Amino acid sequence: MSKTNAARILDRLKLPYEILEYAVDPDDLAAESTAEKLGLPPEQVFKTLVARGDRHGVCLAVIPGSAQLDLKALAVLAGDRKTDTVPLKDVQPLTGYVRGGVTALGTKKAYPVYVDELMLTFETVAVSAGKRGLMLWLAPQAYLTATQGIVGAIARSSPP
């Protein structure tokens, strides 16, 4: 299995991680499906969303797979009046990654990274390795160090 840019960044920073592999269904890229394939609870598998604030521009929001992004909370944490997710067509040009493989590590440009506080309740979490079918399994603190992530309450429970 070839290393992704995200894995190389962790190597360079001497941060420990494992790579988890799973089968990709291009018609179902939901974090909940990824969690199921990995045998993990969806709240331990974090998805990376691309958002844009009215004052500070593009940022990345990292939230549990079982949650929805709270755009108002993200705006407050980012110092914006309002934020919104970017259209899907803009994700790859902005980050260099395709939907289902977006990670905060190794984006085309260094964007601020905002991480939901639930990440800190786990010993290890899964985040995208920057390629569909590959996840990084690492300690939250290692992820926060590598991404310079800012922690806050930016997720809310998905409706049943």
Side-chain angles (χ1 to χ4, degrees), residues 33 51 74 80 112 126 138:
S33 301
L74 176 62
D80 289 310
L138 73 172

Side-chain angles (χ1 to χ4, degrees), residues 7 14 16 38 41 61-62 74 77 80-81 84 88 100 105 109 115 119 131 137 141 154:
K14 297 182 177 16
L38 293 171
V62 183
L74 176 62
L77 191 59
D80 289 310
R81 284 186 306 266
D84 210 344
L88 189 54
L105 294 161
K109 211 180 139 202
V115 180
M119 183 181 275
K131 183 177 178 192
W137 181 246
Q141 201 51 58
I154 59 168

Side-chain angles (χ1 to χ4, degrees), residues 147-160:
T147 61
Q148 297 179 355
I150 297 162
V151 178
I154 59 168
R156 63 176 189 266
S157 298
S158 290

